[in-house]
Structure formats: structure tokens, C-alpha cells
Amino acid sequence: MSWVEGAAGSPYGVHNLPYGVFVQAGRGPRIGVRIGDLVLDLDGAEAAGLLLAGGALRRPTLNAFLALGHPQWTTVRRRIVELLTGQEHRPAVEPLLIPLDRVDLVLPFEVADYVDFYSSEQHAGNVGKIFRPGAAPLLPNWRHLPVGYHGRAGTVVVSGTPIIRPQGQRSTPDGPVYGPSTRLDIEAEVGFVVGVPTSLGQRVAVEDFAAHVFGVVLLNDWSARDIQAWEYQPLGPFLGKSFATSVSSWVVPLEALADAWVPAPTQEPAVLDYLRDVPHLGLDLRLTVDWNGDRVSEPPFDGMYWTPAQQLAHLTVNGAALRTGDLYASGTVSGPRRDQVGSFLELTWGGAEPVKLSDGSTRTFLLDGDTVRIGATAPGPDGTSVGLGEVAGTIAPAQPT
Amino acid sequence: MSWVEGAAGSPYGVHNLPYGVFVQAGRGPRIGVRIGDLVLDLDGAEAAGLLLAGGALRRPTLNAFLALGHPQWTTVRRRIVELLTGQEHRPAVEPLLIPLDRVDLVLPFEVADYVDFYSSEQHAGNVGKIFRPGAAPLLPNWRHLPVGYHGRAGTVVVSGTPIIRPQGQRSTPDGPVYGPSTRLDIEAEVGFVVGVPTSLGQRVAVEDFAAHVFGVVLLNDWSARDIQAWEYQPLGPFLGKSFATSVSSWVVPLEALADAWVPAPTQEPAVLDYLRDVPHLGLDLRLTVDWNGDRVSEPPFDGMYWTPAQQLAHLTVNGAALRTGDLYASGTVSGPRRDQVGSFLELTWGGAEPVKLSDGSTRTFLLDGDTVRIGATAPGPDGTSVGLGEVAGTIAPAQPT
């Protein structure tokens, strides 16, 4: 039980403790951990000798801390719990607590490589039906490997960053034209943050997932469907995605999600040995998608066909090295029902079925000024709920050219 | 005329001066510039006050120097020329020259994002003919935009790094199997190194190419064709490429290639305005590909359909930010003749037409122990030749799993 006011019963109690980086009062970025609606200044805590992480918590990003690895992640987490629960620590710790509304949260880690998977059967099936009507919705490889590709690491931005409507080429009956995207979409996803690197040629077995992955972020892989549709063959998405990918401000440690593991969907046909995870577990994260404040979808992460451990094993099976700060995302999270999809492409069935918002307006894709907020919770210990923060963005008009 | 012995007449004379990073005698990485068969220790030169770059030359990678931008790149270059030509500087400078065979060259810059284009009409056409016989060799978008995708920045390695044969899934008539790639290939390419970054939402016009791009490397985008063929739909190449991408040790500044610009192929249909470069110029780089010492191909870079300025304009047209250290590659360089292709897929026409090496053996794809060296030269001032160094790699056996 934390002595911090508002922590008990909060999805950000001592059972959660997500890490972020904040700026406040003109000072440079500092690492903090969220408790209730406050942030504990870990830079200050390490400076004061309240916890020890070899200086890793006194940096402007989480990367050095992420690189420390599992034993140290656990040690620091335990110490933070002590500090926030032991009354004897209160006099020293309380001055290091800052209300969240007095800080600005920045990108919590420097992204090394960014990979995006495509691991929801419902999403891949919906996209197949929309773009290849009449054909088999899933391509032949889909059940044999977690399909994925590399995105642009340099345009991963923190929640709240305005999303400037991208411009580019799209195809029309009269040939390609240039202009602002007219089919700007979201992809509600979950991202996994790599802490412990590997050497070139080394692979990460499915059972070693938790030795390398530190935690989880929410992620919105903003997508310009018109640009993407014209450019993507044969080498995959490029400018339709690379203008911005938003992540939540808080990285929730896997240790906070220990109660959220649930059996993942049965895989048929059986996967090759290197992808076999026993037990075969996914995370019971319950996502929400709000469009201008209206709840339009509640994508369930527990139905993802490929698990994060399988994704990491696949990503490295060819000997690709991992770096601290590597980020890989699940792919759009969609459930079987229309009110469980993770993209507006699916919600409006390719734009053919507009949705009505509570202000009386209708939407197919995003308009300038629209705001999308993706949130999530997971089951925590003893009936608690673990909050994953949110990833939000508002569409800004295309820039004059 | 340089006072350095062996510089005159060398493709690495004072008209070239490529930058690299070396280690020697147990000391950490230092920036150097190549002159003849020597490296000038620029860390030592800046430490001694022989040239001034605000400390940017005293770092373990080129990134800080790359970020300085065009006026400083020029100032430093001019000063290095003075140091290497003025006899009065010889006493101070000569002790800073180290024979190349006494240093090890390391990755010269930290790669931010890595993008690979697909801009040779002959290569794209050959791949189309091999993989989609009977269909139009080029897809509808190909003449309208430089097709490209993001690769893995974390597995870009310096020339000489052993290339471990990747393992992964490939398709067989009996279903997918796991094992070492049996169709390991090269892609001979030219890479462009970004120095000056941009902000999110900013685009780089074709005419601003030289304000952002510092220089050129040779690049081998090693490719496992069997893994790639099975995985790449619909999101593009992933593990078939991400195990290793080799770059040359030396970054040749664009300033050394001023005499290498030549008219690029006419583009028909006309490109959209944002891709129109006037004059429409490519680089007359003459590549060579040696397979176990046998010259098997001489790919001509001057025939590339899309120019590096068009590639950069396209890459940023959606507002994607550039970072210092961004690397974008041309795509496989192939000319119209079989002895001008930049991949073994094309050289052996999908493996159907093996090549005979001078030792009497034959090859379709790479065997363990094979070495590939890609080199290039360009025309320099006054009839000189500018050397681009080489990118070399030897195939090591797949690692036990």
C-alpha cells in the first residue's frame, strides 16, 4: 500500500510503475516513474542516493537503464516500491513527486530499429477482403510466419505530437497526382521495447523473450492509405507510414503485466520449431479507440495470432542483431466484431460505410483537427487494473509546399 | 600536388580525400582521411590545432562532422588539401600519416535510418521477368516514383565483416521448412549519407540535395532470395535482407565527385513536379563485382533511372524527418548487358544459368567461403580517377542452432 495520495485503487499504483521521461520548469529531460497522477523524479532519487542504478537513471532517455537487463530492472523496481510504500522513506521521497499536469512528457527512449508486424488474423483478413475481394483473405505465408517489415525509427514521436497530414502521390483514374493524403488512418497497436541487445548472428529463442524485452508501449502507426496503396508493390509500405508513428509516454515494464498473460489462439497448422512457444501465451490487454472523444472501438489484444515472443524469435532467426531501444509493434489489433477493429479502414470498410460521431458529423478517414486517443488496461494482481497510459494525436493541416 | 609519397596519380589523391574511422595500436576509433595508401589522423590533426572543426573530428564516428553542414565540410576539406600540399606543413603533418595496412577500418558513421531504393530499370525489369514471367516486367508505379522501403539500420556493417549465412523459412513443395538459406545473393549498390537533418514536416526539394547529403559509400545489400521470396508479400522484404548490409570503409564526399555528374536517362512519362530535377543528373560511377577474385560484372551507375536527388525528395515529400547518419541506397545497379548486372540472381538468371569461375568451379548463388568485392571509380578533375574503395565480404557458415 503506497503512502502516495491517490495511488491506491489507481491503475497507476505500485503494481504498475511505468517509466517515462519528463521535462519541467526549464530543466532538461529526466527519467521518472508514474505513481497515481504524480511522477517520481528518478533522476533526483538516484542523485540523492535513494536508489542505485549506476547512473542509468540520470540520463535523458531510458536507454542506459533498458540496457541493464533483468536482474537490475527487478532490483530498481523493488526499491521504488519500497520508497513508495515505506513510511520511513516519505520525508525523502515526497519532495521528488511532481504532479503530472506540471510536466511535459517526451519520447521515453531513443528508438534504434522499428519493426511493425501484422499479427492479427482479423485485421489481415479484413484488409485482404477490402483490397483483394474474392481472393483468399490471408496470403499463403501468413499462418507460417509473423509477417513484418521495417518502419522509420526517426519518425517515432511521443503521444501528443501533432500529426501533420502527409503529402504524396496517389493513383487516380487519370494517373498519379500529388497532394495531401485524403485517406489518413490510424493503426492501434502494442509496441515492445528491447532492452538487452544481441550480437550479429545470435538468435533469441522464444523462451528468452523476457530476458531481452523490457516493456510495452501503446502505438499508433498512422497510415495514409492512398499513398500506401499506390507505392507498396513490390517492396511494402514506405511513405504511407514513415511520416509519423506515435507511442505512449509511459513504458510499462513486463513485470507489471505478470497477471495479464493468457493462452493465445491455437495455431493451425503447427508452426515450425523455432516459433513454438510452450506455453503459448499472449497478453490480455484491452485497448480503446476514441475519435474526437467518441469510443469507436475496443480492440482485444488477447486474440492476436502471433505472440510477442514468437515475433522476437522470428525477427532474430536470421541472425539480425538487437540493439537497446529496438521497438517492434504487434500490427493493428482487431477483434472479430466491427466495434473491435484497430483501423478506420476496417471501421468504415474501406470508406464505404461512414461512422457517425456524437456531434452529428460523419467520418470515413481523418479530417484536419480530429483527435484520436488509444488507451489500454490489463488485469493486475489482486483484482487491480494496470493502465498503459494513452497514445494521442491531433491532425494538423498539410503544410504549404 | 601533394607532398605525400604515392598520392600523385592515385585514385586517392588530394582530389578525393574520403573520410573513414580507424583503430590502431589499441587506441579507440579515430577519424581519418585517406591519402594514397595512408590515412591522415584527423583526430590528431584537430588535437594539434592543424585544423578546426569544433571538436567534430575528435569523435569516434563521423556523425558530428556530418552534421556540421556544407560550409564547414568545404572549409575542412580545403584545409586538409593545404596540409597535404603545402611543404611548410609537412613537418607537423607527416607524423600523423599512418600506413593503411597498420590500421583497422571500422563503420565510419552511426546509421540512423536505412532506406533502400529500387531505381535501376534494368534490375527491376530483370527481377520482374524472373519472378513474373509473361507479365509486364515493371509494375505500374515504377516510372512514377522511386520505389523504396526501410531496411535494418542496426545490421549495417563495415566492409570485411564476415557474412554469416542466414537461416530462416523458405517454401518447398512440401510446405515451409527451416534452415540455412540456399540462395544467398549480393546486391551491388551505391549509398548516400545524410549529414544535415530536417524537422518533421519539412521536405527536401530536389535542388537541396547537396545541402543535406555529405557523401557516398559502396553498399552490398546481401539478400537471401529463398527467405525473401516466401516472406515478402504483402509488406516487402524483411529477414531476407536484415541479417547484414555491408558498406565501404570510406565515405567519399560529394565534393570529390564534382566531375562525375552526367545527364541521367530521360524519364517518360514526365515525373510529377516535386520529382523534377533540372538539370537531371546522375553520377558516372563505374562499379566492379569480383567473385572469388574473378571479375563477373561491371555495373554502370550512370544508367540509373531515378537520381539520388529525386530519391531524397521522394523520401521526404511526406514530411519524414531526416537525421544525421541516415543512409539511403540506390537499389541494385544493373546495366543492360549480362556482364553489367548487380546481383547473382540476374547473373545466373534465377539460378538457371550457372557461371563458371576461373578455378573451374561453377556457381549459381554464394557458397560458404566465397568472397565478393564490389569496387568503383568515378572521373575526377583533370583526367584523374576517384576511387570509392571497396565493400567486401566473405560468407561464413550458418551458425548451429
Side-chain angles (χ1 to χ4, degrees), chain A residues 106-173:
Chain A
V106 300
L107 193 66
F109 61 100
E110 191 183 349
V111 182
D113 271 299
Y114 165 48
V115 164
D116 195 18
F117 285 98
Y118 189 58
S119 289
S120 157
E121 180 174 354
Q122 284 75 24
H123 173 69
N126 286 338
V127 170
K129 286 176 204 160
I130 292 168
F131 285 128
R132 298 183 300 272
L138 295 179
L139 291 171
N141 58 12
W142 198 89
R143 289 183 192 282
H144 294 284
L145 53 82
V147 170
Y149 69 106
H150 285 90
R152 190 164 185 82
T155 50
V156 175
V157 298
V158 73
S159 177
T161 305
I163 304 303
I164 302 166
R165 182 179 297 274
Q167 307 201 61
Q169 278 196 42
R170 60 181 193 276
S171 184
T172 76

Side-chain angles (χ1 to χ4, degrees), chain B residues 147-379:
Chain B
V147 170
Y149 70 104
H150 285 91
R152 190 165 185 82
T155 49
V156 175
V157 298
V158 73
S159 176
T161 304
I163 303 303
I164 303 167
R165 182 179 296 274
Q167 308 202 59
Q169 278 195 40
R170 60 181 193 275
S171 184
T172 75
D174 300 323
V177 299
Y178 172 81
S181 170
T182 61
R183 289 164 71 90
L184 187 55
D185 196 1
I186 66 157
E187 293 194 338
E189 307 196 18
V190 175
F192 294 85
V193 181
V194 171
V196 176
T198 62
S199 305
L200 204 62
Q202 193 184 341
R203 51 182 258 198
V204 178
V206 280
E207 58 269 27
D208 293 334
F209 164 74
H212 292 274
V213 171
F214 172 75
V216 171
V217 290
L218 297 176
L219 185 146
N220 187 345
D221 186 36
W222 304 94
S223 299
R225 300 296 179 196
D226 41 0
I227 295 172
Q228 183 185 349
W230 173 232
E231 75 178 356
Y232 90 102
Q233 283 186 316
L235 301 184
F238 183 36
L239 301 187
K241 304 278 195 171
S242 64
F243 58 95
T245 305
S246 300
V247 294
S248 53
S249 308
W250 300 107
V251 184
V252 174
L254 282 179
E255 293 181 90
L257 297 172
D259 293 275
W261 293 100
V262 289
T266 303
Q267 294 179 315
E268 182 57 42
V271 299
L272 287 170
D273 278 349
Y274 79 91
L275 290 169
R276 192 167 300 155
D277 51 351
V278 181
H280 177 55
L281 298 177
L283 282 166
D284 181 17
L285 311 180
R286 298 138 194 205
L287 278 64
T288 56
V289 179
D290 293 350
W291 195 341
N292 292 349
D294 288 354
R295 178 71 37 98
V296 294
S297 182
E298 297 187 347
F301 193 69
D302 64 351
M304 298 296 279
Y305 191 84
W306 294 101
T307 68
Q310 290 179 315
Q311 291 170 334
L312 188 66
H314 187 64
L315 170 56
T316 59
V317 75
N318 67 345
L322 295 176
R323 290 183 291 171
T324 298
D326 277 351
L327 170 67
Y328 67 95
S330 59
T332 308
V333 183
S334 291
R337 299 201 319 263
R338 187 67 71 92
D339 63 357
Q340 295 181 315
V341 295
S343 73
F344 298 157
L345 179 76
E346 294 162 272
L347 187 70
T348 67
W349 209 250
E353 303 173 16
V355 293
K356 192 162 187 171
L357 300 182
S358 60
D359 66 1
S361 64
T362 59
R363 290 289 187 287
T364 50
F365 293 97
L366 287 158
L367 299 182
D368 290 350
D370 281 1
T371 295
V372 176
R373 293 179 188 279
I374 299 166
T377 56

Side-chain angles (χ1 to χ4, degrees), chain B residues 16-59:
Chain B
N16 187 346
L17 300 177
Y19 290 84
V21 174
F22 67 97
V23 292
Q24 179 228 18
R27 285 185 55 189
R30 281 176 283 167
I31 294 174
V33 71
R34 180 169 178 176
I35 178 76
D37 290 327
L38 303 164
V39 56
L40 170 62
D41 175 0
L42 293 181
D43 176 274
E46 186 164 12
L50 292 169
L51 48 70
L52 299 170
L57 295 169
R58 308 216 55 209
R59 308 286 184 85

Side-chain angles (χ1 to χ4, degrees), chain A residues 360-373:
Chain A
S361 65
T362 60
R363 290 288 187 284
T364 50
F365 293 96
L366 287 158
L367 299 183
D368 290 350
D370 281 1
T371 295
V372 176
R373 293 178 188 280

Side-chain angles (χ1 to χ4, degrees), chain A residues 6 13 35 54 68 88 112 153 155 182 196 215 217 226 230 264 282 292 295 320 351 354 389:
Chain A
I35 177 74
L68 291 179
E88 70 278 22
T155 50
T182 62
V196 176
V217 290
D226 42 359
W230 172 232
N292 293 349
R295 178 72 35 96

